[in-house]
Amino acid sequence: MKVILFHTNKDEVDYIKECNTRFRFELEFTDFDFNTAEAGRFTGYDAVWILTNCKVTKEKSEQLAEAGVSYIVSRAAGTDHLDLVSMKSAGLKGANVPRYSPNAIAEHTVCLALMSLRKMKLELKMIDNFDFTLNGLKGRELRNMTVGVIGTGRIGLETIKILNGFGCRILVYDIYENQEVKSLATYRPLSEVFSDSDILILHCPLTKENERLISSDTIATLKDSAVLINTARGGLMDYEAVLTAIESGKLGAAAFDVYDNETSYIRKKVEPDSFESNVLKKLMSKDNVIYTAHMSFFTDTAIENMIMTTFENLYEYEKSGQCANEIT
Ligand code: NAI
């Protein structure tokens, strides 16, 4: 099988090549832009290996099918970058990596919560400026907090397990309840999770139903000084509303690993003057806002698991045309 790989970091290439000694695919690493590439670039490949910043739209599906590509293997867990209906109607098969290390995202999420509560962004800036005072640094303790978690799937469960060790009260909401979560946290209606939480964490996928779940209306129902954490997807939040709530003091802090339209700049070094998102720029300038650039998944364990499962997905497709992680 001939495979073209997008968005592989330099430090991953050796590991990918090492794994491939087992699978023996014909691999082609490339640095051209998947989203803007013309059809001819994909000719001759059986499969494309992509990440979340590669958007598979209706046009891209048709283009790939026309070029002779049969399989799209995404190294990610989320699937909102893939138009699955169009992929299917173009005759493309696709697979993802549903579970590479939910713990990686969970640990990052709890790290963001702790950093927000202990005002760590401000403290690090002060230390960089040789300011060793405690001005503005009084924090809050996680143990005393009520934490709301929306989405109790693989990642939500890991976050809840970690939070449990801190001794905080945990309220959760999901469209489906999970028995294991029930032994660690209390399911409540969504409106109560909003109104009763000191920290609100998003761990649900982005769907048509929950787009802009965090809006000026729902922020108004949060406790004063609540902390908002989003390591799920940018489309879940109205960031302008978040900025307004940070500026008014309604929100005590916000921390997020994902942003709307992040594909235009993510994984690139950008000149500050050419950076287009004014809202994000303003949010980034706040001492009580932490932004990480979609990197909560980025650990050694997660990357190794992502790569190995992607190889296994390709191997299954090659052997049988089927794959256990099929998403189309
Ligand atoms: P999962 O599929 O195991 O769990 C998602 C849970 O959300 C399910 O229990 C589902 O029932 C629930 N859910 C769906 N719609 C909902 C709604 N409207 N309200 C409340 N709950 C809802 O997925 P997993 O692995 O836990 O990942 C969750 C999300 O995290 C992914 O969809 C992805 O968007 C994001 N993610 C972010 C990463 C990052 O690097 N920042 C890395 C991996 C995933």
Side-chain angles (χ1 to χ4, degrees):
M1 185 181 289
K2 206 167 169 195
V3 186
I4 183 162
L5 297 85
F6 293 86
H7 295 287
T8 44
N9 281 314
K10 281 194 194 100
D11 55 359
E12 294 165 4
V13 171
D14 286 345
Y15 183 68
I16 292 173
K17 286 182 177 164
E18 187 192 318
C19 292
N20 196 38
T21 55
R22 227 181 94 191
F23 295 97
R24 298 179 181 279
F25 295 122
E26 264 184 83
L27 301 183
E28 176 95 17
F29 295 88
T30 182
D31 54 10
F32 67 79
D33 185 355
F34 176 88
N35 298 320
T36 55
E38 288 166 12
R41 295 282 205 152
F42 301 100
T43 307
Y45 298 101
D46 304 296
V48 291
W49 163 309
I50 60 169
L51 252 181
T52 45
N53 45 354
C54 301
K55 301 281 173 207
V56 182
T57 57
K58 182 170 183 291
E59 294 72 39
K60 189 57 77 179
S61 297
E62 287 164 1
Q63 192 190 49
L64 291 170
E66 206 181 299
V69 171
S70 302
Y71 307 112
I72 297 179
V73 286
S74 175
R75 262 173 51 179
T79 56
D80 51 287
H81 58 301
L82 308 170
D83 179 345
L84 299 175
V85 175
S86 303
M87 278 167 61
K88 197 169 180 176
S89 49
L92 294 165
K93 289 194 169 190
N96 70 340
V97 183
R99 187 189 176 88
Y100 44 84
S101 180
N103 185 60
I105 297 101
E107 282 187 12
H108 189 83
T109 303
V110 177
C111 170
L112 291 176
L114 286 168
M115 286 182 77
S116 300
L117 290 177
R118 302 308 292 265
K119 307 198 172 164
M120 203 52 77
K121 183 173 174 184
L122 177 61
E123 165 66 343
L124 294 175
K125 270 164 90 172
M126 285 166 63
I127 293 291
D128 282 350
N129 287 313
F130 294 83
D131 179 350
F132 305 116
T133 68
L134 291 174
N135 295 339
L137 289 178
K138 191 164 75 185
R140 291 187 278 172
E141 295 183 30
L142 187 46
R143 184 174 52 175
N144 301 331
M145 303 276 117
T146 297
V147 185
V149 179
I150 300 179
T152 58
R154 298 176 192 90
I155 298 171
L157 172 61
E158 293 307 317
T159 295
I160 290 161
K161 283 184 194 165
I162 298 170
L163 288 173
N164 227 262
F166 283 90
C168 42
R169 178 174 172 243
I170 309 170
L171 305 179
V172 295
Y173 171 78
D174 195 302
I175 47 178
Y176 302 107
E177 296 193 357
N178 170 320
Q179 283 310 316
E180 194 177 353
V181 171
K182 275 188 176 171
S183 63
L184 302 166
T186 312
Y187 278 98
R188 283 283 173 79
L190 185 60
S191 58
E192 282 182 33
V193 176
F194 268 88
S195 62
D196 293 0
S197 299
D198 299 293
I199 303 176
L200 187 69
I201 296 175
L202 304 185
H203 278 320
C204 51
L206 172 64
T207 63
K208 282 199 181 84
E209 291 71 40
N210 65 14
E211 206 172 343
R212 309 283 174 241
L213 177 68
I214 304 299
S215 64
S216 50
D217 288 346
T218 53
I219 290 173
T221 68
L222 291 171
K223 282 187 182 178
D224 288 344
S225 302
V227 176
L228 194 57
I229 315 272
N230 180 10
T231 52
R233 282 296 179 265
L236 291 167
M237 304 218 293
D238 175 346
Y239 285 85
E240 252 182 280
V242 172
L243 176 61
T244 305
I246 284 286
E247 286 180 335
S248 72
K250 170 69 186 173
L251 281 176
F256 46 95
D257 185 52
V258 283
Y259 194 73
D260 269 343
N261 303 323
E262 61 185 27
T263 32
S264 63
Y265 63 85
I266 211 89
R267 311 286 172 258
K268 292 177 192 154
K269 173 93 174 72
V270 179
E271 289 305 320
D273 290 343
S274 67
F275 195 65
E276 281 169 7
S277 177
N278 237 346
V279 173
L280 180 55
K281 247 185 190 170
K282 281 188 188 157
L283 282 164
M284 282 162 57
S285 71
K286 309 286 181 198
D287 288 337
N288 56 349
V289 174
I290 299 172
Y291 173 51
T292 55
H294 208 143
M295 50 78 76
S296 62
F297 73 94
F298 198 50
T299 66
D300 48 3
T301 304
I303 294 299
E304 287 180 16
N305 291 344
M306 269 178 172
I307 290 171
M308 188 47 83
T309 305
T310 304
F311 270 115
E312 285 164 0
N313 289 345
L314 286 167
Y315 180 75
E316 287 179 33
Y317 276 137
E318 187 179 52
K319 288 285 151 215
S320 64
Q322 314 280 329
C323 175
N325 291 325
E326 177 98 36
I327 46 177
T328 38

